[in-house]
Amino acid sequence: MAKVPRNFRLLEELEKGEKGIGDGSCSYGLEDGDDIMMSHWNGTIIGPGHTVHENRIYSLKITCGENYPDAPPTIQFISRVNLPFVSQVDGKVDPSKLPVLAHWNRNHSIETVLVEIRREMASFNNRKLPQPPEGSTFS
Amino acid sequence: MSLPKRIIKETERLVADPAPGITATPHDDNLRYFDVTIQGPDGSPFQNGVFRLELFLPEEYPMAPPKVRFLTKIYHPNIDKLGRICLDILKDKWSPALQIRTVLLSIQALLSAPNPDDPLATDVAKHYKENEKDAQRVSREWTEKYASA
């Protein structure tokens, strides 16, 4: 199979993100429409229902380095959230604690990362974790 | 993973007999991925500029068109902020009879003949329609600022 280079892969992801993915519970877009290298992205996750996260809107920063998608993106929560793979100091996601990043392959995408994080929010161990006040941010 | 003969032939010819003002060099680690340069055509606001582009031949090529975008910033109504190009042969007017060479020549021709009636960068197109002289001045400025060799 032809190996899609980083930039064309990110253009595909951008176009998919602009159309809207799934039911809208996860979304993403470029932080700056002028970012010709398409490195800096914003993501949003709407907390899954029937969990402590229900109706909360979480913002994240996603950074795709020059080796993306051979290497995973780095993820940092802007909104405060209590999850075992999120640093309570600065909101950075520890890639070794999140399977989609720890076992990365180039078929994964920004979308799969957001969807997996949302799935983790609803997991048995995480769905009832006490959470910081809604709307607070790491700064 | 072998490269289709057609791509090998096209690449050989691009390197041995390049089109005037155009270079296309495949990456060593991905022979479907090319670094491209296009010189701004004489008499256009892009004259004296050297523009960097990237081109990728998807799995379906030549049944599907190559993917191409500008890496050098350019003030042109049919090229957006991310370097994406609005050109019919890269979309619905693609034909497998076209080649990398013809695509790059068409992009070079697009620099000589902007088409503000089919815009991708709507603000630039508006500028071109309302005051072509002033828009061309900005195109020249950007060429000097971002595309000087």
Side-chain angles (χ1 to χ4, degrees), chain A residues 1-3 7 15 34 36, chain B residues 1 30 54 59 69 81:
Chain A
M1 279 297 282
K3 187 176 167 186
N7 297 350
E15 272 152 36
D34 272 350
I36 201 138
Chain B
M1 165 169 91
N30 188 347
E54 55 184 352
E59 181 70 23
R69 82 165 180 144
K81 287 174 175 179

Side-chain angles (χ1 to χ4, degrees), chain B residues 76-95:
Chain B
H76 187 292
N78 309 106
I79 302 164
D80 77 4
K81 287 174 175 179
L82 292 176
R84 292 178 289 191
I85 305 163
C86 181
L87 183 64
D88 53 3
I89 61 159
L90 290 176
K91 301 192 173 93
D92 53 326
K93 294 283 166 26
W94 169 252
S95 147

Side-chain angles (χ1 to χ4, degrees), chain A residues 52-53 56 81-83 88 126-132:
Chain A
V52 290
H53 306 284
R56 290 194 177 203
V81 66
N82 178 23
L83 289 166
Q88 293 308 302
N126 296 337
R127 59 190 301 141
K128 290 183 176 158
L129 284 178
Q131 294 300 320

